[in-house]
Amino acid sequence: MTVDMAEEERELARLVREFADEVVAPQAYEADRSHTLSMDVVAQMGDLGLFGLPFPEDVGGQGGDYFSLGIAIEALARVDQSVAITLEAAVSLGAMPVHRFGSPAQRERLLPDLVAGRALAGFGLTEPEAGSDAGATRTTARLEDDEWVIDGSKQFITNSGTPITTFVTVTAVTGEHSGRREISTIIVPVGTPGFSVGPAYDKVGWRASDTHPLTFDGARVPAEHLLGERGRGFASFLHILDEGRIAIAALATGAAEGCLEDAVEYARRRVVFGERLGSRQSIQFTLARMQARVHNARLAWHHAARLRDAGKPFKTEAAIAKLTASDAAMDNARDATQIFGGNGFMNEFAVARHYRDAKILEIGEGTSEVQLLVIARALGLER
């Protein structure tokens, strides 16, 4: 922990850490092996109020901020990144767009169940031909008889196929002006004719996280399902993504910390050539570097979150936090696996799961290359 945390923030960290150790960790191996998200764990997270942490009390939230959300995500990611990303995506990509840009009627109808964890929602942005280049969206939506008619596909959409998923928000091209495509965001409820959720992906990591491709074939929703202003969908998404990068940085920090904790424990008890593994200076130096990475990653996301919660610009700091923390998670996962030796290659050990899980942290919600581009542009460097 860093010294700038208030006592209630430290108490939240202790509470979620205890929940992670006692409830999440024991089921993590089997959930990963079976590619199954435990809805019981999700329900208990809802009972703890985790899905409502950054939302005001008047919509059923806890009245907290993004820093509080990051604390919870970091504590969960220590033991299970799949559960942590379920919370992160549910808040940052599911509920937050509705809270930020929804009409009063949309907020009143959708937010209570989302912030209570009774419902989940996905955010359909990525497409087969539109990943980092999100502006290349090909999904379209046209107005017909006061309805949006949506055609296209999305891929890699988190929380889009769970038993409690109620809708997805999708970006779609809704027109063209002066040669530039107009991109808007539209709410599509589960069960809408023409909207189908494909089979879950067989992923390398985050295997207990719910992730599906989506298809829209003439799916019709009422015109009032437009989320925010028409033509502002891409700009709205970029704002949401900046916040999400702070949360992903917190997740990556937790993953790096989990690798460190497991590696330290293993080094203390593992005997090699008649002596404790942790007595070897090479191992001590590796663990020291792992600790430094956790420390720097935590400082980076804490700083970005504090700026965001204070209403100050944080775009560059969020990119720095995600870049720093995702690097830390990958490096610590590699080093922890090496310290574990052959055991680190066995899925029954958490470091093996972290090793598989950590790679997506350099890709999802903006690749490391995109973060470098954001940082470079903040330095005044343009093509």
Side-chain angles (χ1 to χ4, degrees), residues 356-382:
R356 288 186 286 104
D357 287 349
K359 181 57 191 174
I360 190 60
L361 295 168
E362 297 182 315
I363 300 173
E365 293 205 34
T367 64
S368 293
E369 290 77 11
V370 167
Q371 308 315 310
L372 290 168
L373 182 61
V374 170
I375 297 166
R377 286 179 175 174
L379 295 172
L381 304 173
E382 297 284 350

mmCIF file with all atom_site columns, all heavy atoms in Angstrom, residues 356-382:
data_model
loop_
_atom_site.group_PDB
_atom_site.id
_atom_site.type_symbol
_atom_site.label_atom_id
_atom_site.label_alt_id
_atom_site.label_comp_id
_atom_site.label_asym_id
_atom_site.label_entity_id
_atom_site.label_seq_id
_atom_site.pdbx_PDB_ins_code
_atom_site.Cartn_x
_atom_site.Cartn_y
_atom_site.Cartn_z
_atom_site.occupancy
_atom_site.B_iso_or_equiv
_atom_site.pdbx_formal_charge
_atom_site.auth_seq_id
_atom_site.auth_comp_id
_atom_site.auth_asym_id
_atom_site.auth_atom_id
_atom_site.pdbx_PDB_model_num
ATOM 1   N N   . ARG A 1 356 ? -0.270  -17.329 -18.178 1.00 0.00 ? 356 ARG A N   1
ATOM 2   C CA  . ARG A 1 356 ? -1.172  -17.347 -19.337 1.00 0.00 ? 356 ARG A CA  1
ATOM 3   C C   . ARG A 1 356 ? -2.051  -16.108 -19.379 1.00 0.00 ? 356 ARG A C   1
ATOM 4   O O   . ARG A 1 356 ? -2.343  -15.561 -20.439 1.00 0.00 ? 356 ARG A O   1
ATOM 5   C CB  . ARG A 1 356 ? -2.037  -18.606 -19.302 1.00 0.00 ? 356 ARG A CB  1
ATOM 6   C CG  . ARG A 1 356 ? -1.279  -19.882 -19.615 1.00 0.00 ? 356 ARG A CG  1
ATOM 7   C CD  . ARG A 1 356 ? -2.213  -21.084 -19.719 1.00 0.00 ? 356 ARG A CD  1
ATOM 8   N NE  . ARG A 1 356 ? -2.695  -21.539 -18.424 1.00 0.00 ? 356 ARG A NE  1
ATOM 9   C CZ  . ARG A 1 356 ? -3.908  -21.325 -17.930 1.00 0.00 ? 356 ARG A CZ  1
ATOM 10  N NH1 . ARG A 1 356 ? -4.796  -20.620 -18.631 1.00 0.00 ? 356 ARG A NH1 1
ATOM 11  N NH2 . ARG A 1 356 ? -4.266  -21.792 -16.757 1.00 0.00 ? 356 ARG A NH2 1
ATOM 12  N N   . ASP A 1 357 ? -2.497  -15.676 -18.217 1.00 0.00 ? 357 ASP A N   1
ATOM 13  C CA  . ASP A 1 357 ? -3.433  -14.551 -18.150 1.00 0.00 ? 357 ASP A CA  1
ATOM 14  C C   . ASP A 1 357 ? -2.786  -13.216 -18.492 1.00 0.00 ? 357 ASP A C   1
ATOM 15  O O   . ASP A 1 357 ? -3.420  -12.333 -19.074 1.00 0.00 ? 357 ASP A O   1
ATOM 16  C CB  . ASP A 1 357 ? -4.031  -14.445 -16.738 1.00 0.00 ? 357 ASP A CB  1
ATOM 17  C CG  . ASP A 1 357 ? -5.038  -15.540 -16.413 1.00 0.00 ? 357 ASP A CG  1
ATOM 18  O OD1 . ASP A 1 357 ? -5.444  -16.268 -17.339 1.00 0.00 ? 357 ASP A OD1 1
ATOM 19  O OD2 . ASP A 1 357 ? -5.405  -15.671 -15.229 1.00 0.00 ? 357 ASP A OD2 1
ATOM 20  N N   . ALA A 1 358 ? -1.519  -13.050 -18.100 1.00 0.00 ? 358 ALA A N   1
ATOM 21  C CA  . ALA A 1 358 ? -0.909  -11.720 -18.137 1.00 0.00 ? 358 ALA A CA  1
ATOM 22  C C   . ALA A 1 358 ? -0.745  -11.157 -19.545 1.00 0.00 ? 358 ALA A C   1
ATOM 23  O O   . ALA A 1 358 ? -0.754  -9.939  -19.732 1.00 0.00 ? 358 ALA A O   1
ATOM 24  C CB  . ALA A 1 358 ? 0.439   -11.742 -17.421 1.00 0.00 ? 358 ALA A CB  1
ATOM 25  N N   . LYS A 1 359 ? -0.598  -12.014 -20.538 1.00 0.00 ? 359 LYS A N   1
ATOM 26  C CA  . LYS A 1 359 ? -0.319  -11.507 -21.883 1.00 0.00 ? 359 LYS A CA  1
ATOM 27  C C   . LYS A 1 359 ? -1.402  -10.573 -22.397 1.00 0.00 ? 359 LYS A C   1
ATOM 28  O O   . LYS A 1 359 ? -1.114  -9.549  -23.048 1.00 0.00 ? 359 LYS A O   1
ATOM 29  C CB  . LYS A 1 359 ? -0.139  -12.687 -22.860 1.00 0.00 ? 359 LYS A CB  1
ATOM 30  C CG  . LYS A 1 359 ? 0.187   -12.252 -24.278 1.00 0.00 ? 359 LYS A CG  1
ATOM 31  C CD  . LYS A 1 359 ? 1.456   -11.382 -24.310 1.00 0.00 ? 359 LYS A CD  1
ATOM 32  C CE  . LYS A 1 359 ? 1.666   -10.703 -25.642 1.00 0.00 ? 359 LYS A CE  1
ATOM 33  N NZ  . LYS A 1 359 ? 2.808   -9.768  -25.631 1.00 0.00 ? 359 LYS A NZ  1
ATOM 34  N N   . ILE A 1 360 ? -2.656  -10.867 -22.098 1.00 0.00 ? 360 ILE A N   1
ATOM 35  C CA  . ILE A 1 360 ? -3.746  -10.045 -22.618 1.00 0.00 ? 360 ILE A CA  1
ATOM 36  C C   . ILE A 1 360 ? -3.700  -8.628  -22.043 1.00 0.00 ? 360 ILE A C   1
ATOM 37  O O   . ILE A 1 360 ? -4.235  -7.687  -22.630 1.00 0.00 ? 360 ILE A O   1
ATOM 38  C CB  . ILE A 1 360 ? -5.117  -10.701 -22.326 1.00 0.00 ? 360 ILE A CB  1
ATOM 39  C CG1 . ILE A 1 360 ? -6.250  -9.990  -23.079 1.00 0.00 ? 360 ILE A CG1 1
ATOM 40  C CG2 . ILE A 1 360 ? -5.396  -10.705 -20.826 1.00 0.00 ? 360 ILE A CG2 1
ATOM 41  C CD1 . ILE A 1 360 ? -6.098  -10.010 -24.576 1.00 0.00 ? 360 ILE A CD1 1
ATOM 42  N N   . LEU A 1 361 ? -3.005  -8.452  -20.912 1.00 0.00 ? 361 LEU A N   1
ATOM 43  C CA  . LEU A 1 361 ? -2.902  -7.126  -20.318 1.00 0.00 ? 361 LEU A CA  1
ATOM 44  C C   . LEU A 1 361 ? -2.118  -6.164  -21.200 1.00 0.00 ? 361 LEU A C   1
ATOM 45  O O   . LEU A 1 361 ? -2.266  -4.945  -21.087 1.00 0.00 ? 361 LEU A O   1
ATOM 46  C CB  . LEU A 1 361 ? -2.252  -7.223  -18.939 1.00 0.00 ? 361 LEU A CB  1
ATOM 47  C CG  . LEU A 1 361 ? -3.069  -7.990  -17.886 1.00 0.00 ? 361 LEU A CG  1
ATOM 48  C CD1 . LEU A 1 361 ? -2.217  -8.271  -16.650 1.00 0.00 ? 361 LEU A CD1 1
ATOM 49  C CD2 . LEU A 1 361 ? -4.318  -7.209  -17.512 1.00 0.00 ? 361 LEU A CD2 1
ATOM 50  N N   . GLU A 1 362 ? -1.284  -6.708  -22.091 1.00 0.00 ? 362 GLU A N   1
ATOM 51  C CA  . GLU A 1 362 ? -0.541  -5.874  -23.040 1.00 0.00 ? 362 GLU A CA  1
ATOM 52  C C   . GLU A 1 362 ? -1.337  -5.625  -24.317 1.00 0.00 ? 362 GLU A C   1
ATOM 53  O O   . GLU A 1 362 ? -0.842  -4.935  -25.214 1.00 0.00 ? 362 GLU A O   1
ATOM 54  C CB  . GLU A 1 362 ? 0.781   -6.549  -23.396 1.00 0.00 ? 362 GLU A CB  1
ATOM 55  C CG  . GLU A 1 362 ? 1.728   -6.725  -22.216 1.00 0.00 ? 362 GLU A CG  1
ATOM 56  C CD  . GLU A 1 362 ? 3.036   -7.359  -22.628 1.00 0.00 ? 362 GLU A CD  1
ATOM 57  O OE1 . GLU A 1 362 ? 3.007   -8.353  -23.391 1.00 0.00 ? 362 GLU A OE1 1
ATOM 58  O OE2 . GLU A 1 362 ? 4.085   -6.868  -22.194 1.00 0.00 ? 362 GLU A OE2 1
ATOM 59  N N   . ILE A 1 363 ? -2.554  -6.191  -24.370 1.00 0.00 ? 363 ILE A N   1
ATOM 60  C CA  . ILE A 1 363 ? -3.365  -6.098  -25.593 1.00 0.00 ? 363 ILE A CA  1
ATOM 61  C C   . ILE A 1 363 ? -4.706  -5.424  -25.337 1.00 0.00 ? 363 ILE A C   1
ATOM 62  O O   . ILE A 1 363 ? -5.088  -4.488  -26.040 1.00 0.00 ? 363 ILE A O   1
ATOM 63  C CB  . ILE A 1 363 ? -3.579  -7.511  -26.190 1.00 0.00 ? 363 ILE A CB  1
ATOM 64  C CG1 . ILE A 1 363 ? -2.232  -8.155  -26.539 1.00 0.00 ? 363 ILE A CG1 1
ATOM 65  C CG2 . ILE A 1 363 ? -4.497  -7.454  -27.406 1.00 0.00 ? 363 ILE A CG2 1
ATOM 66  C CD1 . ILE A 1 363 ? -2.330  -9.603  -26.963 1.00 0.00 ? 363 ILE A CD1 1
ATOM 67  N N   . GLY A 1 364 ? -5.452  -5.909  -24.343 1.00 0.00 ? 364 GLY A N   1
ATOM 68  C CA  . GLY A 1 364 ? -6.818  -5.443  -24.117 1.00 0.00 ? 364 GLY A CA  1
ATOM 69  C C   . GLY A 1 364 ? -6.904  -3.997  -23.659 1.00 0.00 ? 364 GLY A C   1
ATOM 70  O O   . GLY A 1 364 ? -6.008  -3.488  -22.988 1.00 0.00 ? 364 GLY A O   1
ATOM 71  N N   . GLU A 1 365 ? -7.997  -3.340  -24.018 1.00 0.00 ? 365 GLU A N   1
ATOM 72  C CA  . GLU A 1 365 ? -8.277  -1.931  -23.702 1.00 0.00 ? 365 GLU A CA  1
ATOM 73  C C   . GLU A 1 365 ? -7.112  -1.019  -24.094 1.00 0.00 ? 365 GLU A C   1
ATOM 74  O O   . GLU A 1 365 ? -6.749  -0.093  -23.375 1.00 0.00 ? 365 GLU A O   1
ATOM 75  C CB  . GLU A 1 365 ? -8.646  -1.766  -22.221 1.00 0.00 ? 365 GLU A CB  1
ATOM 76  C CG  . GLU A 1 365 ? -9.976  -2.434  -21.892 1.00 0.00 ? 365 GLU A CG  1
ATOM 77  C CD  . GLU A 1 365 ? -10.680 -1.839  -20.700 1.00 0.00 ? 365 GLU A CD  1
ATOM 78  O OE1 . GLU A 1 365 ? -10.577 -0.611  -20.474 1.00 0.00 ? 365 GLU A OE1 1
ATOM 79  O OE2 . GLU A 1 365 ? -11.359 -2.599  -20.000 1.00 0.00 ? 365 GLU A OE2 1
ATOM 80  N N   . GLY A 1 366 ? -6.553  -1.321  -25.254 1.00 0.00 ? 366 GLY A N   1
ATOM 81  C CA  . GLY A 1 366 ? -5.452  -0.523  -25.793 1.00 0.00 ? 366 GLY A CA  1
ATOM 82  C C   . GLY A 1 366 ? -4.135  -1.236  -25.640 1.00 0.00 ? 366 GLY A C   1
ATOM 83  O O   . GLY A 1 366 ? -3.670  -1.472  -24.522 1.00 0.00 ? 366 GLY A O   1
ATOM 84  N N   . THR A 1 367 ? -3.519  -1.613  -26.755 1.00 0.00 ? 367 THR A N   1
ATOM 85  C CA  . THR A 1 367 ? -2.250  -2.330  -26.713 1.00 0.00 ? 367 THR A CA  1
ATOM 86  C C   . THR A 1 367 ? -1.146  -1.447  -26.121 1.00 0.00 ? 367 THR A C   1
ATOM 87  O O   . THR A 1 367 ? -1.289  -0.222  -26.018 1.00 0.00 ? 367 THR A O   1
ATOM 88  C CB  . THR A 1 367 ? -1.827  -2.763  -28.125 1.00 0.00 ? 367 THR A CB  1
ATOM 89  O OG1 . THR A 1 367 ? -1.591  -1.576  -28.906 1.00 0.00 ? 367 THR A OG1 1
ATOM 90  C CG2 . THR A 1 367 ? -2.895  -3.623  -28.794 1.00 0.00 ? 367 THR A CG2 1
ATOM 91  N N   . SER A 1 368 ? -0.037  -2.084  -25.772 1.00 0.00 ? 368 SER A N   1
ATOM 92  C CA  . SER A 1 368 ? 1.104   -1.312  -25.272 1.00 0.00 ? 368 SER A CA  1
ATOM 93  C C   . SER A 1 368 ? 1.570   -0.300  -26.316 1.00 0.00 ? 368 SER A C   1
ATOM 94  O O   . SER A 1 368 ? 1.997   0.815   -25.976 1.00 0.00 ? 368 SER A O   1
ATOM 95  C CB  . SER A 1 368 ? 2.248   -2.254  -24.895 1.00 0.00 ? 368 SER A CB  1
ATOM 96  O OG  . SER A 1 368 ? 1.892   -3.058  -23.787 1.00 0.00 ? 368 SER A OG  1
ATOM 97  N N   . GLU A 1 369 ? 1.473   -0.675  -27.586 1.00 0.00 ? 369 GLU A N   1
ATOM 98  C CA  . GLU A 1 369 ? 1.870   0.248   -28.652 1.00 0.00 ? 369 GLU A CA  1
ATOM 99  C C   . GLU A 1 369 ? 0.956   1.468   -28.695 1.00 0.00 ? 369 GLU A C   1
ATOM 100 O O   . GLU A 1 369 ? 1.417   2.596   -28.932 1.00 0.00 ? 369 GLU A O   1
ATOM 101 C CB  . GLU A 1 369 ? 1.856   -0.478  -29.997 1.00 0.00 ? 369 GLU A CB  1
ATOM 102 C CG  . GLU A 1 369 ? 2.948   -1.523  -30.164 1.00 0.00 ? 369 GLU A CG  1
ATOM 103 C CD  . GLU A 1 369 ? 2.677   -2.827  -29.430 1.00 0.00 ? 369 GLU A CD  1
ATOM 104 O OE1 . GLU A 1 369 ? 1.537   -3.029  -28.938 1.00 0.00 ? 369 GLU A OE1 1
ATOM 105 O OE2 . GLU A 1 369 ? 3.594   -3.652  -29.329 1.00 0.00 ? 369 GLU A OE2 1
ATOM 106 N N   . VAL A 1 370 ? -0.329  1.260   -28.450 1.00 0.00 ? 370 VAL A N   1
ATOM 107 C CA  . VAL A 1 370 ? -1.264  2.389   -28.397 1.00 0.00 ? 370 VAL A CA  1
ATOM 108 C C   . VAL A 1 370 ? -0.940  3.292   -27.213 1.00 0.00 ? 370 VAL A C   1
ATOM 109 O O   . VAL A 1 370 ? -0.986  4.530   -27.316 1.00 0.00 ? 370 VAL A O   1
ATOM 110 C CB  . VAL A 1 370 ? -2.715  1.883   -28.329 1.00 0.00 ? 370 VAL A CB  1
ATOM 111 C CG1 . VAL A 1 370 ? -3.665  3.018   -27.961 1.00 0.00 ? 370 VAL A CG1 1
ATOM 112 C CG2 . VAL A 1 370 ? -3.130  1.274   -29.666 1.00 0.00 ? 370 VAL A CG2 1
ATOM 113 N N   . GLN A 1 371 ? -0.579  2.705   -26.068 1.00 0.00 ? 371 GLN A N   1
ATOM 114 C CA  . GLN A 1 371 ? -0.218  3.522   -24.907 1.00 0.00 ? 371 GLN A CA  1
ATOM 115 C C   . GLN A 1 371 ? 1.018   4.368   -25.207 1.00 0.00 ? 371 GLN A C   1
ATOM 116 O O   . GLN A 1 371 ? 1.081   5.548   -24.838 1.00 0.00 ? 371 GLN A O   1
ATOM 117 C CB  . GLN A 1 371 ? 0.048   2.633   -23.679 1.00 0.00 ? 371 GLN A CB  1
ATOM 118 C CG  . GLN A 1 371 ? -1.032  1.627   -23.338 1.00 0.00 ? 371 GLN A CG  1
ATOM 119 C CD  . GLN A 1 371 ? -2.430  2.187   -23.385 1.00 0.00 ? 371 GLN A CD  1
ATOM 120 O OE1 . GLN A 1 371 ? -2.718  3.241   -22.808 1.00 0.00 ? 371 GLN A OE1 1
ATOM 121 N NE2 . GLN A 1 371 ? -3.316  1.500   -24.092 1.00 0.00 ? 371 GLN A NE2 1
ATOM 122 N N   . LEU A 1 372 ? 1.993   3.775   -25.886 1.00 0.00 ? 372 LEU A N   1
ATOM 123 C CA  . LEU A 1 372 ? 3.187   4.526   -26.264 1.00 0.00 ? 372 LEU A CA  1
ATOM 124 C C   . LEU A 1 372 ? 2.836   5.670   -27.213 1.00 0.00 ? 372 LEU A C   1
ATOM 125 O O   . LEU A 1 372 ? 3.404   6.779   -27.118 1.00 0.00 ? 372 LEU A O   1
ATOM 126 C CB  . LEU A 1 372 ? 4.208   3.589   -26.920 1.00 0.00 ? 372 LEU A CB  1
ATOM 127 C CG  . LEU A 1 372 ? 4.866   2.572   -25.980 1.00 0.00 ? 372 LEU A CG  1
ATOM 128 C CD1 . LEU A 1 372 ? 5.614   1.518   -26.784 1.00 0.00 ? 372 LEU A CD1 1
ATOM 129 C CD2 . LEU A 1 372 ? 5.808   3.272   -25.007 1.00 0.00 ? 372 LEU A CD2 1
ATOM 130 N N   . LEU A 1 373 ? 1.890   5.427   -28.105 1.00 0.00 ? 373 LEU A N   1
ATOM 131 C CA  . LEU A 1 373 ? 1.451   6.470   -29.032 1.00 0.00 ? 373 LEU A CA  1
ATOM 132 C C   . LEU A 1 373 ? 0.785   7.621   -28.281 1.00 0.00 ? 373 LEU A C   1
ATOM 133 O O   . LEU A 1 373 ? 1.048   8.802   -28.565 1.00 0.00 ? 373 LEU A O   1
ATOM 134 C CB  . LEU A 1 373 ? 0.486   5.880   -30.057 1.00 0.00 ? 373 LEU A CB  1
ATOM 135 C CG  . LEU A 1 373 ? -0.036  6.819   -31.145 1.00 0.00 ? 373 LEU A CG  1
ATOM 136 C CD1 . LEU A 1 373 ? 1.120   7.352   -31.977 1.00 0.00 ? 373 LEU A CD1 1
ATOM 137 C CD2 . LEU A 1 373 ? -1.046  6.094   -32.029 1.00 0.00 ? 373 LEU A CD2 1
ATOM 138 N N   . VAL A 1 374 ? -0.066  7.298   -27.307 1.00 0.00 ? 374 VAL A N   1
ATOM 139 C CA  . VAL A 1 374 ? -0.723  8.322   -26.495 1.00 0.00 ? 374 VAL A CA  1
ATOM 140 C C   . VAL A 1 374 ? 0.314   9.160   -25.751 1.00 0.00 ? 374 VAL A C   1
ATOM 141 O O   . VAL A 1 374 ? 0.236   10.392  -25.717 1.00 0.00 ? 374 VAL A O   1
ATOM 142 C CB  . VAL A 1 374 ? -1.713  7.678   -25.492 1.00 0.00 ? 374 VAL A CB  1
ATOM 143 C CG1 . VAL A 1 374 ? -2.221  8.713   -24.484 1.00 0.00 ? 374 VAL A CG1 1
ATOM 144 C CG2 . VAL A 1 374 ? -2.890  7.043   -26.238 1.00 0.00 ? 374 VAL A CG2 1
ATOM 145 N N   . ILE A 1 375 ? 1.286   8.481   -25.154 1.00 0.00 ? 375 ILE A N   1
ATOM 146 C CA  . ILE A 1 375 ? 2.330   9.179   -24.384 1.00 0.00 ? 375 ILE A CA  1
ATOM 147 C C   . ILE A 1 375 ? 3.171   10.052  -25.314 1.00 0.00 ? 375 ILE A C   1
ATOM 148 O O   . ILE A 1 375 ? 3.498   11.204  -24.997 1.00 0.00 ? 375 ILE A O   1
ATOM 149 C CB  . ILE A 1 375 ? 3.203   8.163   -23.643 1.00 0.00 ? 375 ILE A CB  1
ATOM 150 C CG1 . ILE A 1 375 ? 2.350   7.380   -22.627 1.00 0.00 ? 375 ILE A CG1 1
ATOM 151 C CG2 . ILE A 1 375 ? 4.351   8.869   -22.925 1.00 0.00 ? 375 ILE A CG2 1
ATOM 152 C CD1 . ILE A 1 375 ? 3.023   6.129   -22.083 1.00 0.00 ? 375 ILE A CD1 1
ATOM 153 N N   . ALA A 1 376 ? 3.535   9.526   -26.485 1.00 0.00 ? 376 ALA A N   1
ATOM 154 C CA  . ALA A 1 376 ? 4.355   10.291  -27.435 1.00 0.00 ? 376 ALA A CA  1
ATOM 155 C C   . ALA A 1 376 ? 3.617   11.549  -27.904 1.00 0.00 ? 376 ALA A C   1
ATOM 156 O O   . ALA A 1 376 ? 4.219   12.624  -28.051 1.00 0.00 ? 376 ALA A O   1
ATOM 157 C CB  . ALA A 1 376 ? 4.729   9.413   -28.623 1.00 0.00 ? 376 ALA A CB  1
ATOM 158 N N   . ARG A 1 377 ? 2.307   11.408  -28.150 1.00 0.00 ? 377 ARG A N   1
ATOM 159 C CA  . ARG A 1 377 ? 1.534   12.567  -28.598 1.00 0.00 ? 377 ARG A CA  1
ATOM 160 C C   . ARG A 1 377 ? 1.471   13.637  -27.505 1.00 0.00 ? 377 ARG A C   1
ATOM 161 O O   . ARG A 1 377 ? 1.450   14.840  -27.792 1.00 0.00 ? 377 ARG A O   1
ATOM 162 C CB  . ARG A 1 377 ? 0.134   12.136  -29.016 1.00 0.00 ? 377 ARG A CB  1
ATOM 163 C CG  . ARG A 1 377 ? 0.118   11.411  -30.367 1.00 0.00 ? 377 ARG A CG  1
ATOM 164 C CD  . ARG A 1 377 ? -1.274  10.962  -30.760 1.00 0.00 ? 377 ARG A CD  1
ATOM 165 N NE  . ARG A 1 377 ? -1.272  10.389  -32.108 1.00 0.00 ? 377 ARG A NE  1
ATOM 166 C CZ  . ARG A 1 377 ? -2.328  9.802   -32.663 1.00 0.00 ? 377 ARG A CZ  1
ATOM 167 N NH1 . ARG A 1 377 ? -3.464  9.701   -31.981 1.00 0.00 ? 377 ARG A NH1 1
ATOM 168 N NH2 . ARG A 1 377 ? -2.246  9.317   -33.884 1.00 0.00 ? 377 ARG A NH2 1
ATOM 169 N N   . ALA A 1 378 ? 1.442   13.188  -26.234 1.00 0.00 ? 378 ALA A N   1
ATOM 170 C CA  . ALA A 1 378 ? 1.437   14.154  -25.124 1.00 0.00 ? 378 ALA A CA  1
ATOM 171 C C   . ALA A 1 378 ? 2.758   14.919  -25.058 1.00 0.00 ? 378 ALA A C   1
ATOM 172 O O   . ALA A 1 378 ? 2.814   16.022  -24.501 1.00 0.00 ? 378 ALA A O   1
ATOM 173 C CB  . ALA A 1 378 ? 1.182   13.423  -23.814 1.00 0.00 ? 378 ALA A CB  1
ATOM 174 N N   . LEU A 1 379 ? 3.801   14.364  -25.642 1.00 0.00 ? 379 LEU A N   1
ATOM 175 C CA  . LEU A 1 379 ? 5.098   15.050  -25.703 1.00 0.00 ? 379 LEU A CA  1
ATOM 176 C C   . LEU A 1 379 ? 5.181   15.996  -26.900 1.00 0.00 ? 379 LEU A C   1
ATOM 177 O O   . LEU A 1 379 ? 6.208   16.649  -27.104 1.00 0.00 ? 379 LEU A O   1
ATOM 178 C CB  . LEU A 1 379 ? 6.232   14.002  -25.812 1.00 0.00 ? 379 LEU A CB  1
ATOM 179 C CG  . LEU A 1 379 ? 6.422   13.086  -24.606 1.00 0.00 ? 379 LEU A CG  1
ATOM 180 C CD1 . LEU A 1 379 ? 7.434   11.992  -24.924 1.00 0.00 ? 379 LEU A CD1 1
ATOM 181 C CD2 . LEU A 1 379 ? 6.856   13.888  -23.381 1.00 0.00 ? 379 LEU A CD2 1
ATOM 182 N N   . GLY A 1 380 ? 4.084   16.059  -27.670 1.00 0.00 ? 380 GLY A N   1
ATOM 183 C CA  . GLY A 1 380 ? 4.060   16.956  -28.807 1.00 0.00 ? 380 GLY A CA  1
ATOM 184 C C   . GLY A 1 380 ? 4.611   16.345  -30.077 1.00 0.00 ? 380 GLY A C   1
ATOM 185 O O   . GLY A 1 380 ? 4.926   17.067  -31.029 1.00 0.00 ? 380 GLY A O   1
ATOM 186 N N   . LEU A 1 381 ? 4.731   15.034  -30.097 1.00 0.00 ? 381 LEU A N   1
ATOM 187 C CA  . LEU A 1 381 ? 5.265   14.351  -31.268 1.00 0.00 ? 381 LEU A CA  1
ATOM 188 C C   . LEU A 1 381 ? 4.126   13.848  -32.147 1.00 0.00 ? 381 LEU A C   1
ATOM 189 O O   . LEU A 1 381 ? 3.275   13.108  -31.699 1.00 0.00 ? 381 LEU A O   1
ATOM 190 C CB  . LEU A 1 381 ? 6.140   13.161  -30.821 1.00 0.00 ? 381 LEU A CB  1
ATOM 191 C CG  . LEU A 1 381 ? 7.286   13.511  -29.871 1.00 0.00 ? 381 LEU A CG  1
ATOM 192 C CD1 . LEU A 1 381 ? 7.958   12.256  -29.368 1.00 0.00 ? 381 LEU A CD1 1
ATOM 193 C CD2 . LEU A 1 381 ? 8.291   14.425  -30.575 1.00 0.00 ? 381 LEU A CD2 1
ATOM 194 N N   . GLU A 1 382 ? 4.100   14.270  -33.377 1.00 0.00 ? 382 GLU A N   1
ATOM 195 C CA  . GLU A 1 382 ? 3.067   13.877  -34.335 1.00 0.00 ? 382 GLU A CA  1
ATOM 196 C C   . GLU A 1 382 ? 3.741   13.330  -35.583 1.00 0.00 ? 382 GLU A C   1
ATOM 197 O O   . GLU A 1 382 ? 4.896   13.671  -35.899 1.00 0.00 ? 382 GLU A O   1
ATOM 198 C CB  . GLU A 1 382 ? 2.174   15.067  -34.701 1.00 0.00 ? 382 GLU A CB  1
ATOM 199 C CG  . GLU A 1 382 ? 1.392   15.640  -33.522 1.00 0.00 ? 382 GLU A CG  1
ATOM 200 C CD  . GLU A 1 382 ? 0.208   14.801  -33.122 1.00 0.00 ? 382 GLU A CD  1
ATOM 201 O OE1 . GLU A 1 382 ? -0.131  13.871  -33.879 1.00 0.00 ? 382 GLU A OE1 1
ATOM 202 O OE2 . GLU A 1 382 ? -0.392  15.099  -32.060 1.00 0.00 ? 382 GLU A OE2 1
#
